[in-house]
């Protein structure tokens, strides 16, 4: 118990230092590679055991405090403190997972906060996945469609093409879903041909299998003619 109290006291000192820091210092301290972010989970666990609160309660309370402080910054400092690799960016999925079932609207609020600063494939992918998990399917679809359009009708991450294909199929956009899945399979097969043996090759094989399985689940077995639907149809 003494060690946990010591961990909590040390982390809470860092929090006090953050609250009293200059704007530039705050940005640096809120970076995802700095101690406040790296030791956040350990602090949450120790604080919960010392206080008797649930881990989820301590996590959300602490995250909300960091988010409010980050949003109080301005201009470039604000952008950097809300970056996808900042403390609140790194812990976004964990927070969203905790609140998504009972407070899906809170996930929608966070997406609104982060979206202006996460205008890249990695950011949109993370926001869309959180939206989907919270049941915000329209929001997830919009984020992925924007990403798809901006990338010349391709999606960088295999998980995104699986998700968007499923969302399109739900709405009866079957040809678009087929085209997306087949195109992703063809790109993955090209990657596999160039990949050296090892962990990455196994990941690509797993991604191909996941796309094939989803295609079969949604549309039945794929035939040779379907391959053409991935190319400019």
């Amino acid at each position: 118990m003494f060690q946990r109290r010591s961990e909590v006291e040390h982390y809470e000192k860092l929090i006090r230092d953050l609250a009293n820091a200059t704007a530039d210092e705050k940005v640096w301290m809120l970076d995802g590679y700095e101690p406040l972010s790296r030791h956040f989970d350990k602090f949450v666990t120790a604080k919960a055991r010392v206080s008797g609160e649930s881990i989820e309660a301590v996590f959300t309370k602490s995250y909300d405090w960091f988010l409010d402080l980050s949003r109080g910054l301005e201009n470039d400092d604000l952008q950097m403190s809300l970056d996808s690799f900042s403390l609140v960016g790194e812990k976004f999925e964990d927070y969203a997972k905790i609140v998504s079932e009972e407070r899906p609207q809170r996930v929608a609020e966070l997406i609104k906060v982060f979206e202006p600063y996460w205008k890249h494939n990695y950011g949109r992918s993370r926001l869309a996945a959180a939206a989907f998990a919270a049941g915000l399917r329209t929001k997830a679809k919009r984020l992925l469609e924007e990403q798809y359009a901006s990338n010349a009708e391709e999606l960088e991450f295999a998980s995104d093409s699986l998700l968007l294909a499923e969302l399109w199929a739900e709405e009866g956009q079957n040809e678009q879903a087929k085209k997306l899945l087949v195109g992703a399979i063809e790109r993955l097969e090209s990657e596999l041909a160039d990949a050296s043996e090892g962990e990455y090759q196994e990941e690509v094989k797993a991604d191909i299998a996941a796309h094939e399985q989803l295609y079969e689940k949604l549309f039945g077995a794929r035939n040779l003619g379907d391959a053409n639907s991935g190319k400019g149809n």
Side-chain angles (χ1 to χ4, degrees):
M1 180 64 75
F2 175 78
Q3 182 178 354
R4 292 179 191 140
R5 287 190 182 278
S6 177
E7 291 171 351
V8 170
E9 290 169 0
H10 177 70
Y11 194 91
E12 289 181 339
K13 180 182 182 303
L14 291 177
I15 290 176
R16 291 192 296 273
D17 291 344
L18 174 66
N20 296 320
T22 65
D24 286 346
E25 290 170 339
K26 284 185 171 74
V27 170
W28 171 70
M29 294 177 74
L30 290 167
D31 184 88
Y33 295 99
E34 294 305 315
L36 281 168
S37 183
R38 288 189 290 107
H39 300 301
F40 181 87
D41 293 338
K42 191 174 181 180
F43 161 73
V44 166
T45 300
K47 178 74 171 180
R49 289 175 178 169
V50 168
S51 68
E53 296 178 273
S54 69
I55 288 176
E56 291 79 8
V58 176
F59 192 110
T60 54
K61 187 188 303 182
S62 302
Y63 185 93
D64 284 337
W65 186 88
F66 282 114
L67 181 62
D68 287 345
L69 184 140
S70 299
R71 295 182 70 186
L73 298 172
E74 298 178 345
N75 302 322
D76 289 347
D77 293 333
L78 173 63
Q79 181 170 346
M80 293 177 69
S81 70
L82 296 179
D83 183 82
S84 57
F85 294 104
S86 67
L87 186 157
V88 291
E90 290 280 358
K91 301 303 176 183
F92 165 73
E93 281 91 350
D94 291 335
Y95 181 93
K97 185 176 181 180
I98 291 171
V99 304
S100 61
E101 185 172 343
E102 295 185 1
R103 298 165 58 200
Q105 196 54 40
R106 179 56 176 161
V107 178
E109 292 168 0
L110 285 183
I111 290 171
K112 187 175 181 180
V113 169
F114 288 122
E115 189 176 354
Y117 307 102
W118 294 14
K119 293 286 188 182
H120 44 73
N121 292 342
Y122 178 61
R124 285 199 188 103
S125 176
R126 295 173 67 196
L127 294 175
F132 185 82
L136 305 169
R137 293 172 115 76
T138 300
K139 195 175 293 292
K141 180 170 172 283
R142 175 185 63 78
L143 287 161
L144 291 173
E145 285 179 336
E146 289 177 1
Q147 186 176 335
Y148 183 69
S150 66
N151 287 353
E153 299 192 345
E154 289 186 8
L155 290 169
E156 180 177 352
F157 302 111
S159 58
D160 293 341
S161 50
L162 291 167
L163 188 53
L164 183 55
E166 185 172 343
L167 289 167
W168 274 343
E170 283 180 359
E171 297 195 354
Q173 298 172 264
N174 292 338
E175 292 309 311
Q176 286 177 272
K178 287 180 181 180
K179 176 182 176 181
L180 176 58
L181 288 172
V182 174
I185 291 168
E186 290 171 348
R187 285 190 298 277
L188 287 165
E189 288 175 340
S190 178
E191 283 186 36
L192 183 61
D194 296 334
S196 56
E197 291 189 12
E199 185 176 340
Y200 177 65
Q201 190 179 66
E202 293 306 309
E203 289 177 6
V204 176
K205 288 180 180 178
D207 287 339
I208 292 171
H211 283 74
E212 293 279 14
Q213 289 164 9
L214 181 59
Y215 189 102
E216 184 170 355
K217 172 188 171 184
L218 295 175
F219 310 116
R222 186 162 69 96
N223 58 51
L224 292 177
D226 292 328
N228 295 325
S229 65
K231 300 177 181 178
N233 191 11

